[in-house]
Amino acid sequence: MVEKIIIEVEDLVKHYGEVKAVDDVSFAVEEGEIFGLLGPNGAGKTTLMEILCSLRRFDRGRVTINGFDLAKNSLKVRATIGFCPQETLLYDLLSVSENFAFSASLYSLSSKKFIERVEFSSKFLGVGEFLKRRVQQLSGGMKRRANLAASIIHDPPIVILDEPTVGFDPNVKREFWELIKNLKNYGKTILLSTHDMHEADEICDRVAIMDKGKIAALDKPHILKKTIGGEPTIRIRVKDSQTKKALTILEEYNGMLRDNEIHISAKNPWEIMTEASNQLVSHGVFIEKIEIVEPTLEDVFIKLTGRKLTEES
């Protein structure tokens, strides 16, 4: 079955003076998928999202969203998108339900539709427990959920999320990932930006890796890791006093010392791990830890750019 393209970006360019924040970017998002823009701060992700939401003009290129040309039908595009930025765009002194009512008024929602959307947010986004509380009384996670609910109060088919879980602790982050998956299951198309490789790997159907305004690679996470990330790595830690001896014993495997561990890349890691551990034990080397680590999206980014995701562009 041919998937419907709901967002199409062609040869998009945006300058800030002499700097190309978005540099000839092209990609397409299929209806019903979670599509991630993965890259460090300064990669151009936020600028790209603001362009798609018609909040920022672009210099060259073409953007089509839900069948509408962005340059010609920006108002129709805005109506089809729910944009949730990093900042909480809610009024602190109003209750959550009052904020929802204000957001609904911007889209002229009927009373019946508004009630339906509040019920949806209570069920799928878990805001029902704090609808009557003022925003200033909410925890960070509650505020982010309320912010997301307000941004999609008009029931748009497309949800755009800019760094949706930045600053969250791991448990709250995973809860929010489930909310995003719920939106997909409800039929929404989701475009999100992130610099968290685990987030991109966990929830995205496809990922575009961005660096310095360009898309360096685009595919499903497991394909990117397999084709670009490199081979699995066997990591071995021995007693410090035996590290040099262990490196000599494992010389045939081209082991390298990194962070006090011996790293061996291998296409057949389970076989090599067994051989290496047997050789070390037979020579009286005590193994403190041995494990196989599969390539990550961080490895993909390093292969493409020579830098880590957490480094500055």
Side-chain angles (χ1 to χ4, degrees):
M1 183 176 71
V2 178
E3 298 292 339
K4 176 184 175 183
I5 300 299
I6 198 167
I7 300 175
E8 188 168 16
V9 177
E10 303 172 77
D11 306 321
L12 196 66
V13 174
K14 171 64 180 177
H15 290 85
Y16 292 118
E18 298 297 319
V19 177
K20 269 190 179 181
V22 179
D23 189 356
D24 202 27
V25 165
S26 298
F27 65 92
V29 179
E30 298 173 356
E31 186 176 37
E33 76 171 330
I34 301 177
F35 187 95
L37 299 173
L38 175 65
N41 295 331
K45 306 187 302 296
T46 296
T47 297
L48 177 55
M49 288 192 150
E50 290 176 347
I51 290 172
L52 298 183
C53 295
S54 190
L55 298 174
R56 196 173 297 279
R57 293 173 182 249
F58 54 94
D59 300 324
R60 192 176 75 241
R62 187 167 183 266
V63 178
T64 306
I65 297 179
N66 205 28
F68 300 112
D69 187 309
L70 178 60
K72 299 176 182 177
N73 297 287
S74 61
L75 291 179
K76 291 182 178 179
V77 167
R78 288 183 183 184
T80 203
I81 283 175
F83 177 49
C84 186
Q86 292 182 40
E87 309 82 25
T88 302
L89 302 181
L90 302 174
Y91 293 98
D92 281 346
L93 297 180
L94 296 181
S95 68
V96 172
S97 60
E98 288 170 339
N99 271 283
F100 288 174
F102 174 73
S103 297
S105 70
L106 300 177
Y107 295 96
S108 302
L109 262 64
S110 66
S111 297
K112 180 181 179 182
K113 183 66 174 178
F114 174 67
I115 292 172
E116 290 176 356
R117 295 304 297 160
V118 172
E119 289 177 350
F120 168 85
S121 297
S122 297
K123 179 179 179 180
F124 286 91
L125 300 179
V127 301
E129 61 189 271
F130 49 82
L131 279 172
K132 299 304 180 183
R133 292 169 63 178
R134 289 185 179 183
V135 170
Q136 65 181 7
Q137 299 173 324
L138 303 181
S139 67
M142 290 176 178
K143 284 183 180 179
R144 201 71 67 86
R145 276 190 277 166
N147 198 43
L148 173 58
S151 70
I152 61 172
I153 198 71
H154 55 304
D155 198 17
I158 302 168
V159 182
I160 296 182
L161 308 173
D162 188 13
E163 300 277 2
T165 63
V166 66
F168 282 178
D169 67 52
N171 290 332
V172 177
K173 183 173 290 190
R174 289 194 170 275
E175 289 177 8
F176 211 82
W177 290 350
E178 291 305 312
L179 297 183
I180 296 172
K181 291 176 183 178
N182 284 343
L183 289 176
K184 175 189 172 176
N185 293 336
Y186 193 74
K188 303 299 182 185
T189 300
I190 298 163
L191 174 67
L192 68 88
S193 71
T194 183
H195 62 263
D196 185 335
M197 64 171 181
H198 299 295
E199 181 164 273
D201 204 357
E202 175 73 21
I203 67 174
C204 293
D205 298 303
R206 289 189 300 144
V207 173
I209 295 179
M210 290 196 69
D211 182 48
K212 297 180 179 178
K214 290 180 174 290
I215 290 181
L218 192 165
D219 215 320
K220 296 178 180 180
H222 74 274
I223 294 177
L224 289 172
K225 290 184 291 183
K226 182 177 180 179
T227 58
I228 302 175
E231 298 172 342
T233 301
I234 303 163
R235 296 182 181 178
I236 306 170
R237 184 186 300 147
V238 302
K239 287 184 176 181
D240 290 344
S241 60
Q242 295 184 307
T243 299
K244 187 174 180 180
K245 180 179 179 181
L247 278 169
T248 301
I249 294 169
L250 301 177
E251 187 176 7
E252 64 179 294
Y253 303 113
N254 298 316
M256 298 183 66
L257 187 63
R258 296 178 184 171
D259 300 323
N260 295 320
E261 292 181 343
I262 299 170
H263 288 202
I264 299 172
S265 296
K267 292 181 180 179
N268 48 345
W270 290 102
E271 179 182 336
I272 298 301
M273 183 174 71
T274 301
E275 292 177 2
S277 60
N278 287 340
Q279 288 190 38
L280 290 174
V281 171
S282 67
H283 285 82
V285 175
F286 179 77
I287 300 173
E288 294 184 342
K289 184 187 80 171
I290 185 166
E291 63 180 352
I292 295 172
V293 179
E294 296 290 337
T296 65
L297 290 176
E298 175 89 15
D299 295 317
V300 174
F301 188 81
I302 292 171
K303 291 271 188 178
L304 292 170
T305 69
R307 306 190 321 277
K308 293 183 177 180
L309 272 167
T310 51
E311 292 179 5
E312 294 296 324
S313 295

